């Protein structure tokens, strides 16, 4: 069993759900409290033992590459003004030299195409895939959990969470087979099934460990939903010859690709910080009281 050393983080999306903010700023750089969304995915990857991250970027995403580089002017200013804590915080987030690669996806053709673009850097190795819109919260990172299961099972491993059974049509849903360690065998993968046709209410939450054979399948994958090359379609084909396993995530994943999930993530991470939780909690209480008064007055 080969160790998972590399991870792919696709950051080429246009972020249309956050217009006009994303007209000039990549959605991956929107901050959750004081860190951009993409930083959380990078931290999670390194926590899980990843050694090299491949970012799949697009036009107007150069700021992401700059963010993970040195900023001599800023470092000099912090040193001159004695802001040691801020300087140390920046240095702790900087990947070591050679630990990142940036690949250009010339046109948006779906998640499957973005993953395929990383094939030459990944090579003939299993790799992790992290969708940066999905931000892991609580305890260990989600990728670390599925890496533990992969060490027991090999094959392909995906992270899942439970959704309301009436909302399966919003997600990619998996079927549940025999228990394996802390997870289970995947018997089916269905994209956005109606509740009556869903094999379970476990949905894929944006964390994967995939074998390199997925690249050959993505290379000849027919376009699917949205006239895009869909990763799930290629995974279904790969499952005909390789095992898939699922690990239920013990924390919570916030979908920061949606406005609601983005706000929820900011509130949750703020409440988890000792320097902010008191004032934020008081503010939320006041908002709730004000809302209740308006409802009563109406």
């Amino acid at each position: 069993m080969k160790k998972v050393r590399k991870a792919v983080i696709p950051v080429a999306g246009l972020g249309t759900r956050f217009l006009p903010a994303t007209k000039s700023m990549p959605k991956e750089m929107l901050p959750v409290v004081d860190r951009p969304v993409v930083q959380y995915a990078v931290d999670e990857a390194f926590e899980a033992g990843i050694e090299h991250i491949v970012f799949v970027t697009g036009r107007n995403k150069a700021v992401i590459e700059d963010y993970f580089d040195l900023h001599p002017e800023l470092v000099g200013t912090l040193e001159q003004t004695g802001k040691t804590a801020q300087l140390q915080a920046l240095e702790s987030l900087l990947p070591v030299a050679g630990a990142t690669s940036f690949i250009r996806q010339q046109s948006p053709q779906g998640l499957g195409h973005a993953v395929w673009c990383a094939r030459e850097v990944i090579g003939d190795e299993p790799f992790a895939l992290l969708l940066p819109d999905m931000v892991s919260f609580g305890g260990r990172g989600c990728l670390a959990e599925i890496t533990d299961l992969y060490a027991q099972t090999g094959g392909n491993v995906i992270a899942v969470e439970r959704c309301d059974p009436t909302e399966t049509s919003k997600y990619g849903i998996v079927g549940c087979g025999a228990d394996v360690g802390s997870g289970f065998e995947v018997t089916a993968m269905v994209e956005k099934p109606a509740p009556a046709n869903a094999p379970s209410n476990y949905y894929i939450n944006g964390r994967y460990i995939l074998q390199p054979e997925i690249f050959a399948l993505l290379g000849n994958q027919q376009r699917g939903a949205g006239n895009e090359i869909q990763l799930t379609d290629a995974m279904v084909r790969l499952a005909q010859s390789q095992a898939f396993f699922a690990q239920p995530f013990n924390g919570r994943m916030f979908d920061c690709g949606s406005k609601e999930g983005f706000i929820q993530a900011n509130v949750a991470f703020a409440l988890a910080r000792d320097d902010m939780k008191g004032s934020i909690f008081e503010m939320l209480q006041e908002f709730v009281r004000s809302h209740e008064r308006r409802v009563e007055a109406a």
Side-chain angles (χ1 to χ4, degrees):
M1 186 188 304
K2 291 184 178 179
K3 179 183 177 182
V4 180
R5 302 187 309 113
K6 299 177 182 178
V8 175
I9 300 182
V11 293
L14 298 176
T16 53
R17 287 189 288 179
F18 276 92
L19 287 170
T22 50
K23 180 181 178 181
S24 59
M25 173 188 290
K27 63 175 181 175
E28 297 84 8
M29 294 302 294
L30 294 173
V32 173
V33 186
D34 56 2
R35 295 186 179 193
V37 167
V38 69
Q39 180 70 64
Y40 292 91
V42 169
D43 291 345
E44 184 183 340
F46 287 138
E47 177 201 8
I50 295 299
E51 300 170 11
H52 191 101
I53 295 177
V54 184
F55 294 92
V56 181
T57 72
R59 293 186 62 195
N60 301 319
K61 298 293 182 117
V63 66
I64 297 175
E65 188 169 354
D66 291 340
Y67 172 78
F68 289 106
D69 198 358
L70 288 170
H71 194 318
E73 295 84 359
L74 177 58
V75 170
T77 299
L78 293 176
E79 289 176 339
Q80 292 172 11
T81 55
K83 295 183 178 180
T84 306
Q86 291 92 327
L87 181 59
Q88 291 176 343
L90 287 178
E91 291 175 344
S92 69
L93 300 176
L94 191 67
V96 299
T100 57
S101 296
F102 292 83
I103 303 296
R104 178 68 68 94
Q105 182 187 24
Q106 286 87 351
S107 61
Q109 299 183 47
L111 175 60
H113 183 262
V115 173
W116 180 78
C117 288
R119 65 197 183 283
E120 296 296 337
V121 180
I122 297 299
D124 188 25
E125 298 184 35
F127 64 98
L129 171 64
L130 301 92
L131 306 189
D133 286 352
M134 307 301 291
V135 176
S136 175
F137 177 78
R140 296 179 73 210
C142 186
L143 186 61
E145 291 191 1
I146 68 171
T147 299
D148 287 348
L149 182 59
Y150 172 79
Q152 302 175 47
T153 63
N156 304 270
V157 184
I158 52 182
V160 295
E161 293 183 59
R162 288 186 184 272
C163 67
D164 188 306
T166 64
E167 297 184 345
T168 56
S169 60
K170 297 180 180 179
Y171 306 100
I173 303 295
V174 303
C176 306
D179 290 342
V180 179
S182 56
F184 57 84
E185 295 178 351
V186 173
T187 58
M189 288 177 278
V190 186
E191 190 66 28
K192 299 181 179 179
N197 300 323
S200 76
N201 66 329
Y202 277 110
Y203 70 93
I204 303 171
N205 74 359
R207 298 294 184 268
Y208 313 73
I209 292 176
L210 298 171
Q211 294 298 318
E213 288 77 12
I214 194 75
F215 292 123
L217 298 176
L218 289 170
N220 61 25
Q221 180 65 49
Q222 294 184 352
R223 293 177 181 270
N227 196 33
E228 295 181 334
I229 298 173
Q230 298 293 340
L231 177 66
T232 302
D233 294 342
M235 287 167 56
V236 170
R237 294 170 62 197
L238 184 59
Q240 296 173 10
S241 59
Q242 293 187 6
F244 272 75
F245 304 91
Q247 171 64 55
F249 179 39
N250 291 311
R252 178 174 179 180
M253 199 72 77
F254 289 104
D255 180 6
C256 289
S258 71
K259 297 181 181 71
E260 295 83 359
F262 179 71
I263 293 171
Q264 290 169 1
N266 270 279
V267 172
F269 277 89
L271 289 174
R273 288 178 48 155
D274 291 337
D275 62 333
M276 299 181 67
K277 61 183 179 182
S279 60
I280 297 299
F281 186 70
E282 291 177 4
M283 179 192 70
L284 292 173
Q285 286 183 311
E286 179 55 34
F287 280 167
V288 171
R289 287 193 292 264
S290 297
H291 176 72
E292 290 174 343
R293 288 194 292 269
R294 287 196 298 271
V295 171
E296 292 173 356

